[in-house]
Amino acid sequence: APTNSPAHRLPRAVTWGAHILPVDRPVDGLDAPVVLSGIRQGAREGVEHLIAHGHRRIGYIGRDPSIYTSRGRYAGYVEALEQAGIAVDPALVRREGATRTSAQAQIEDLLDLDDPPTALFTAQDIITMTAVSVMQSRGLSDRVALVGFDDFELADLLRPGVTVVAQDPRRIGALAAEL
């Protein structure tokens, strides 16, 4: 049984009988239901879209692999390539795009390759917005295809348009509240 010593005190939410329901990612060591979106499937479908349009050199820019959602999105990227018989080229993968500055550096690095990708799959909205900016500044918007994970404001107004894998935060929140 817990004692009153600080090391053994239960968090107030537990002592008050509140329920904990993780949303968007499970919590290690917590045996509780969790509301997840189909991040792996969404990423796979985004990359499949690029493959269906003839792309074989598809760059991936994501976040730190220690993040649950980042691992799932990368796994979807890998699955889509493998199912299409395309080997994953480590030279086309960047997984440190947590800020605009780091995302910009990674995108520019991919576009500066001797054999650059013909398409990019960006695994977060901030990375997608940065990719749009970099490609516009380089005049590549019509030559490098882009699919991003997460919708972002005004994405539908860009020309050329940006294909996004959109999550439904209202539905996710409603389901969490229901559970």
Side-chain angles (χ1 to χ4, degrees):
T3 68
N4 284 332
S5 70
H8 294 94
R9 234 182 259 150
L10 293 175
R12 284 186 170 260
V14 174
T15 60
W16 289 349
H19 297 276
I20 297 173
L21 181 75
V23 175
D24 194 38
R25 64 199 72 192
V27 175
D28 289 339
L30 181 64
D31 184 23
V34 60
V35 176
L36 301 172
S37 63
I39 55 174
R40 188 175 189 148
Q41 177 183 344
R44 186 179 65 242
E45 290 175 2
V47 175
E48 287 170 347
H49 173 78
L50 292 167
I51 293 167
H53 284 85
H55 297 282
R56 297 294 176 266
R57 289 191 55 74
I58 302 169
Y60 176 91
I61 305 102
R63 293 193 62 195
D64 181 337
S66 70
I67 301 169
Y68 174 83
T69 52
S70 181
R71 286 192 310 272
R73 293 170 189 181
Y74 180 70
Y77 166 83
V78 170
E79 283 177 10
L81 292 177
E82 288 177 348
Q83 288 175 1
I86 301 169
V88 176
D89 182 350
L92 298 178
V93 175
R94 303 292 184 276
R95 297 181 75 186
E96 300 170 8
T99 66
R100 281 189 188 268
T101 303
S102 62
Q104 180 176 343
Q106 291 175 71
I107 293 161
E108 289 176 345
D109 186 46
L110 283 174
L111 296 174
D112 287 340
L113 291 172
D114 289 338
D115 188 10
T118 63
L120 298 175
F121 179 79
T122 53
Q124 185 189 28
D125 56 355
I126 190 126
I127 300 170
T128 306
M129 291 183 276
T130 303
V132 168
S133 177
V134 169
M135 291 192 311
Q136 285 179 344
S137 71
R138 290 179 168 219
L140 297 174
S141 298
D142 290 323
R143 294 191 306 177
V144 178
L146 176 63
V147 171
F149 200 105
D150 285 333
D151 203 353
F152 60 94
E153 195 170 329
L154 305 177
D156 56 333
L157 298 180
L158 293 171
R159 295 294 171 251
V162 176
T163 301
V164 296
V165 177
Q167 299 186 82
D168 186 349
R170 288 180 190 250
R171 177 69 184 123
I172 292 168
L175 181 57
E178 183 181 315
L179 291 173

